[in-house]
């Protein structure tokens, strides 16, 4: 595992020991092993690295990876080989518990960041940084598509044998590609990893060692069937309690020649191999993949930077809701004066952005014909009302754009469909260890729902948008109120599943994200909902009245402000939002709403891909906290979408004529 393999490769862990396979599951509270295994590879989880890097890892491998002498020697070699300077921006990728990043900061390097998939190790790294007063920022992230601005880093280091964990070599190439994007022109990549050619003929097939007075580890190793990876098994045993874990892991074996071919295929140059590394260990037993490691540096290619005023797609088609049609979400079921004013403000703000020309489509009856008659170069999809102003058909708008092969901003149909289902979003969030409220799913044909025993509770439709179905009466304090509101909701929205949640009563926050994973990804300053002026007899929530009923106290008495929260809370909310952004398939911009329970634990309320873009919406409020104007926010969304498309579909950009590109350079 990361143990005798390294510090953690874009690894993920939930802070708890890895669940054992079914056959090795705990029985009567005591773990047991699989017993003799003839084929280690057959038992290897495809993504073993997601759950292996936890507290147990630091116990079994602490002699190497918690060894200050090893860390100091490795940083000595890093600084010398890469020619690092104190003001260089350095990314410690797959940083594990942060030992290398913290040592760099201790030596006076001022701009150091660490990224790792293991939540347990990242939290430990943050704790150690605070205790030592060292200015290092640590973040959760996947090494294949981590989130730092393009060309923003001078050096990326992948140390401690943390490369080659993935099942496919294509994923290793994706890691190198993400590193190349992050590095400035001519920046340095530094890696240390096992000498695969040496390891093939020197690995120990079986070994065991005491790691302290109470624990010992038994290890088995074998080459995979294709000979490309070394598969390992590790059984950790407590002298009195018995087996603690039976786990499998693997690493790809790269020779010098193959590694050179790999990095050069991605575009890196000037590859140099430096000294071999062999760690110090007080136990000095079975060093495994850490025993004989190559240390190398190479340079990112020189980049031709696009001029800041250059626009990728200057001709933009803006897609909006149809003011001619009814809109059941809006006040009185139709577009109103304030809605038309919102569109006018949008057009005025877009006109301020240099380098673009905009045309607007809002006639849904002729939408498909209009798109086919003049296929857009790029679509700014602001039709969050949905096709024909039907919120259930919001995903149909990007689906139509894909039918005519028109590049567009915002989420794809799959993401919009997924996030429209609140119970599925909650389940995915819970699987990612993002705190969520207690909840009961009530099917539309269920006549015997389990009413929660904890009140107050919030009742809302599982499918819905713009707070439809959530009024002040949605907060219930008794079984009788719950049954009455359920009956009314069934009549208002027949056939829709309903959610009964614990009603969160603490502070409520929103996080706005603009950008894309693996490219520039920006978190706006968090927003807090201010309920202090709302009548205390009313439940504090953003109900339907707060968005659509001007004479309601929810409209006039609820305010918004920049959240005043400590850095740990802000970082945790941003990390949760970033993880959900990636896992749910959000693109370009999204908003994430959270609220604390009575004990102060902050939990996820909703995920909003393609959130409200209007001048007085939450996203623009958060942009103003960052010193941005309305047009600046819209420009960021435009740029994020166009840069994503340019990276994913370079042939689309290549099709742009010089004359069209010139429009964006005026």
């Amino acid at each position: 595992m990361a143990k005798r393999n390294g510090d953690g490769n874009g690894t993920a862990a939930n802070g708890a020991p890895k669940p054992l396979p079914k056959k090795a599951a705990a029985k009567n509270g005591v773990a047991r092993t699989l017993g003799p295994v003839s084929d280690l590879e057959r038992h290897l989880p495809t993504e073993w690295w997601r759950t292996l890097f936890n507290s147990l890892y630091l116990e079994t491998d602490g002699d190497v990876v918690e060894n200050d002498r090893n860390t100091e020697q490795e940083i000595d070699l890093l600084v010398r080989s890469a020619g690092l300077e104190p003001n260089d921006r350095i990314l410690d990728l797959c940083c594990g518990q942060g030992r290398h990043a913290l040592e760099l900061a201790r030596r006076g390097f001022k701009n150091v960041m660490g990224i790792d998939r293991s939540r347990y190790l990242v939290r430990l790294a943050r704790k150690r940084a605070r205790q030592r007063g060292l200015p290092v920022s640590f973040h959760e992230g996947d090494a294949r598509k981590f989130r730092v601005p393009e060309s923003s880093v001078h050096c990326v280091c992948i140390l401690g044998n943390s490369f080659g964990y993935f099942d496919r070599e294509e994923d290793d190439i994706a890691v190198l590609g993400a590193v190349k994007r992050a590095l400035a022109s001519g920046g340095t990549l530094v890696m240390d990893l096992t000498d695969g050619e040496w390891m093939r003929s020197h690995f120990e097939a079986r070994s065991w060692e005491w790691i302290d007075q109470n624990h010992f580890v038994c290890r088995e190793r074998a080459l995979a069937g294709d000979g490309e990876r070394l598969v390992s098994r590790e059984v950790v045993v407590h002298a009195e309690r018995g087996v603690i874990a039976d786990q499998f892991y693997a690493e790809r074996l790269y020779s010098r020649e193959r590694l050179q071919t790999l990095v050069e295929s991605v575009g890196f140059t000037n590859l140099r191999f430096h000294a071999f590394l062999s760690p110090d260990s007080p136990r000095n037993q079975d060093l495994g993949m850490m025993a004989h490691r190559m240390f190398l540096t190479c340079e990112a290619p020189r980049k031709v930077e696009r001029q800041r005023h250059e626009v990728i797609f200057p001709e933009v088609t803006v897609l909006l809701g149809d003011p001619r049609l009814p809109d059941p979400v809006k006040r009185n079921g139709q577009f109103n004066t304030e809605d038309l004013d919102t569109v006018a403000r949008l057009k005025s703000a877009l006109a301020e952005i240099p380098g673009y020309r905009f045309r607007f489509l809002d006639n849904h009856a002729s939408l498909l014909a209009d798109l086919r008659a003049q296929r857009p170069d790029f679509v700014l999809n602001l039709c969050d009302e949905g096709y024909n102003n039907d919120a259930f058909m919001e995903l149909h708008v990007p689906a139509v754009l894909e039918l005519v092969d028109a590049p567009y901003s915002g989420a794809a149909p799959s993401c919009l469909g997924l996030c429209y289902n609140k119970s599925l979003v909650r389940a995915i969030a819970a699987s990612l260890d993002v705190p969520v409220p207690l909840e009961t799913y009530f099917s539309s044909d269920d006549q015997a729902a389990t009413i929660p025993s904890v009140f107050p509770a919030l009742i809302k439709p599982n499918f819905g948008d713009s707070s439809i179905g959530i009024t002040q009466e949605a907060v219930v304090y008794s079984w009788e109120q719950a049954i009455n509101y359920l009956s009314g909701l069934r009549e208002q929205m027949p056939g829709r599943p309903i959610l009964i949640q614990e009603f969160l009563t603490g502070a409520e926050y929103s996080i706005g994200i603009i950008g894309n994973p693996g490219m520039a990804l920006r978190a706006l300053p968090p927003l807090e909902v201010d309920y202090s002026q709302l009548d205390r007899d009313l439940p504090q929530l953003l109900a339907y009245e707060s968005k659509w009923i001007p004479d309601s106290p929810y409209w006039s008495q609820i305010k918004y402000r920049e959240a005043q929260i400590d850095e740990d809370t802000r970082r945790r909310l941003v990390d949760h939002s970033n993880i959900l952004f990636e896992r749910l398939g959000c693109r370009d911009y999204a908003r994430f709403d959270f609220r604390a329970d009575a004990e102060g634990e902050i939990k996820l309320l909703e995920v909003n891909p393609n959130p409200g873009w209007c001048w007085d919406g939450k996203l623009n409020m958060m942009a103003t906290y960052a010193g941005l104007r309305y047009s600046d926010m819209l420009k960021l969304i435009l740029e994020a979408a166009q840069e994503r498309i340019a990276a994913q579909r370079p042939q689309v950009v290549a099709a742009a004529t010089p004359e069209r590109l010139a429009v964006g350079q005026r």
Side-chain angles (χ1 to χ4, degrees):
M1 62 202 235
K3 351 188 90 274
R4 298 305 188 186
N5 284 15
D7 287 347
N9 162 18
T11 55
N14 57 12
K18 176 182 181 291
L20 299 178
K22 272 192 175 180
K23 290 184 180 178
K27 183 177 181 181
N28 298 325
V30 179
R32 57 191 178 90
T33 76
L34 291 167
V37 170
S38 59
D39 183 356
L40 298 182
E41 187 177 13
R42 188 166 65 87
H43 295 273
L44 176 69
T46 300
E47 297 184 337
W48 59 266
W49 37 268
R50 284 190 174 275
T51 53
L52 205 59
F53 295 95
N54 48 46
S55 58
L56 187 60
Y57 152 60
L58 295 181
E59 292 291 332
T60 57
D61 285 37
D63 62 315
V64 173
V65 302
E66 292 280 74
N67 185 310
D68 290 343
R69 183 178 176 186
N70 287 335
T71 302
E72 290 168 4
Q73 290 177 342
E74 289 160 12
I75 294 302
D76 285 343
L77 185 54
L78 167 66
V79 173
R80 184 170 64 251
S81 302
L84 296 182
E85 299 179 6
N87 289 323
D88 283 348
R89 293 187 296 275
I90 304 168
L91 170 59
D92 182 5
L93 186 60
C94 314
C95 66
Q97 70 275 25
R99 64 188 182 102
H100 295 109
L102 293 171
E103 176 63 16
L104 283 166
R106 188 187 70 80
R107 297 188 186 196
F109 288 89
K110 301 173 183 177
N111 303 297
V112 184
M113 175 193 303
I115 294 178
D116 198 278
R117 277 297 294 265
S118 168
R119 176 168 298 178
Y120 174 83
L121 295 180
V122 166
R123 287 176 174 173
L124 179 59
R126 290 171 179 166
K127 179 180 179 181
R128 290 178 175 179
R130 288 195 302 272
Q131 290 173 339
R132 301 172 191 178
L134 295 173
V136 184
S137 61
F138 291 101
H139 306 271
E140 293 179 49
D142 189 312
R144 293 165 292 185
K145 44 187 174 182
F146 54 87
R147 310 170 188 90
V148 300
E150 185 174 357
S151 304
S152 65
V153 179
H154 296 112
C155 176
V156 174
C157 52
I158 305 176
L159 303 177
N161 206 53
S162 300
F163 185 79
Y165 291 0
F166 295 111
D167 188 45
R168 305 178 313 144
E169 190 174 50
E170 290 86 346
D171 288 307
D172 291 343
I173 293 173
V175 172
L176 296 177
V179 169
K180 185 176 74 170
R181 284 193 296 273
L183 281 170
S185 182
T188 304
L189 166 63
V190 183
M191 299 172 66
D192 96 61
L193 69 163
T194 195
D195 182 342
E197 202 60 41
W198 184 90
M199 184 56 64
R200 275 191 176 86
S201 55
H202 287 80
F203 71 85
E204 293 186 62
R206 288 183 176 83
S207 72
W208 74 281
E209 64 172 320
W210 286 93
I211 58 176
D212 58 31
Q213 294 299 312
N214 297 306
H215 299 85
F216 64 89
V217 183
C218 300
R219 298 187 178 96
E220 294 181 76
R221 298 185 179 92
L223 290 174
D226 60 4
E228 297 296 321
R229 294 191 295 167
L230 184 64
V231 184
S232 302
R233 178 191 188 186
E234 190 168 74
V235 181
V236 186
V237 182
H238 187 279
E240 295 181 358
R241 297 199 300 269
V243 172
I244 294 174
D246 187 356
Q247 48 205 11
F248 296 79
Y249 48 94
E251 184 168 356
R252 194 168 301 281
L253 299 176
Y254 283 107
S255 66
R256 282 191 173 209
E257 294 74 17
R258 187 171 175 189
L259 194 59
Q260 180 168 355
T261 300
L262 188 74
V263 299
E264 289 179 351
S265 71
V266 179
F268 287 93
T269 60
N270 196 22
L271 174 65
R272 293 180 294 160
F273 288 92
H274 302 270
F276 280 100
L277 290 173
S278 187
D280 174 70
S281 167
R283 300 202 302 260
N284 199 31
Q285 299 181 54
D286 187 15
L287 295 174
M289 302 288 278
M290 297 290 280
H292 191 77
R293 286 148 38 222
M294 303 178 287
F295 193 95
L296 64 96
T297 60
C298 54
E299 293 182 8
R302 301 288 167 176
K303 300 180 179 180
V304 179
E305 296 188 6
R306 187 164 53 87
Q307 296 297 313
R308 293 186 64 181
H309 60 274
E310 181 182 326
V311 174
I312 299 174
F313 301 107
E315 302 289 344
V316 177
T317 297
V318 184
L319 213 52
L320 297 166
D322 191 337
R324 306 162 190 80
L325 298 176
D327 189 330
V329 171
K330 295 187 184 338
R331 181 170 58 90
N332 299 323
Q334 63 183 11
F335 271 68
N336 299 283
T337 303
E338 62 268 20
D339 301 303
L340 299 177
D341 176 64
T342 295
V343 173
R345 288 175 182 256
L346 168 71
K347 292 181 177 180
S348 177
L350 289 175
E352 296 176 14
I353 305 175
Y356 296 93
R357 290 205 296 248
F358 298 95
R359 72 163 177 150
F360 297 86
L361 291 183
D362 62 9
N363 188 339
H364 290 195
S366 62
L367 178 60
L368 187 55
D370 291 340
L371 292 171
R372 282 176 168 162
Q374 184 181 347
R375 189 181 69 81
D377 294 336
F378 172 81
V379 174
L380 180 60
N381 178 21
L382 300 182
C383 186
D384 51 357
E385 286 91 350
Y387 186 65
N388 286 336
N389 298 344
D390 183 343
F392 262 100
M393 300 179 73
E394 183 180 1
L395 64 85
H396 291 58
V397 177
V400 167
L401 295 173
E402 293 190 1
L403 281 176
V404 299
D405 195 29
Y408 60 92
S409 68
S414 57
C415 173
L416 293 173
L418 174 60
C419 292
Y420 205 67
N421 190 323
K422 296 180 175 66
S423 65
L424 285 181
V425 171
R426 178 188 179 277
I428 292 170
S431 75
L432 296 171
D433 295 326
V434 176
V436 293
L438 300 173
E439 181 176 284
T440 299
Y441 180 92
F442 184 10
S443 174
S444 58
D445 57 359
D446 187 353
Q447 300 299 319
T450 302
I451 305 297
S453 58
V454 178
F455 292 101
L458 174 66
I459 300 178
K460 62 183 182 181
N462 184 53
F463 305 122
D465 197 13
S466 300
S467 297
I468 288 289
I470 305 176
T471 67
Q472 64 186 77
E473 286 81 21
V475 180
V476 296
Y477 300 87
S478 67
W479 286 31
E480 294 77 13
Q481 287 182 354
I483 292 171
N484 289 337
Y485 195 77
L486 279 169
S487 299
L489 201 55
R490 275 177 159 174
E491 293 180 10
Q492 180 186 0
M493 299 179 169
R496 293 198 195 185
I498 294 169
L499 303 178
I500 307 176
Q501 285 184 346
E502 64 169 317
F503 179 54
L504 305 177
T505 57
E508 184 171 343
Y509 306 105
S510 290
I511 299 292
I513 303 290
I514 299 179
N516 290 288
M519 307 176 77
L521 196 68
R522 176 174 185 170
L524 299 173
L527 171 148
E528 182 176 356
V529 182
D530 180 5
Y531 292 109
S532 62
Q533 298 179 35
L534 184 65
D535 188 331
R536 288 299 169 186
D537 293 332
L538 297 174
Q540 297 186 0
L541 80 162
L542 292 177
Y544 178 82
E545 297 94 330
S546 69
K547 299 176 182 178
W548 305 109
I549 310 298
D551 57 357
S552 165
Y554 281 94
W555 178 288
S556 58
Q557 296 176 10
I558 295 177
K559 309 297 180 183
Y560 303 92
R561 63 192 179 203
E562 183 174 356
Q564 300 301 312
I565 53 179
D566 60 78
E567 179 59 23
D568 281 349
T569 301
R570 188 201 69 81
R571 185 190 295 118
R572 186 165 62 252
L573 291 175
V574 171
D575 282 347
H576 289 336
S577 301
N578 283 339
I579 290 170
L580 289 165
F581 190 106
E582 177 184 328
R583 184 60 63 88
L584 296 171
C586 299
R587 297 193 313 207
D588 307 332
Y589 65 120
R591 195 188 77 236
F592 302 82
D593 298 332
F594 299 87
R595 191 165 189 179
D597 62 15
E599 283 70 45
E601 182 180 13
I602 300 175
K603 302 180 179 181
L604 178 72
L605 288 177
E606 289 195 5
V607 174
N608 300 274
N610 294 14
W613 44 263
C614 52
W615 66 276
D616 58 350
K618 284 184 178 179
L619 193 68
N620 191 47
M621 290 181 190
M622 288 184 274
T624 64
Y625 303 152
L628 301 174
R629 301 174 70 251
Y630 183 33
S631 59
D632 295 330
M633 182 202 74
L634 295 170
K635 182 172 181 283
L636 287 177
I637 295 172
L638 268 171
E639 291 176 340
Q642 294 199 357
E643 288 172 3
R644 168 181 57 81
I645 292 163
Q648 295 172 345
R649 303 176 63 184
Q651 71 280 6
V652 175
V653 181
T657 66
E659 291 78 17
R660 280 171 47 203
L661 286 177
V663 172
Q665 298 176 0
R666 291 175 183 170

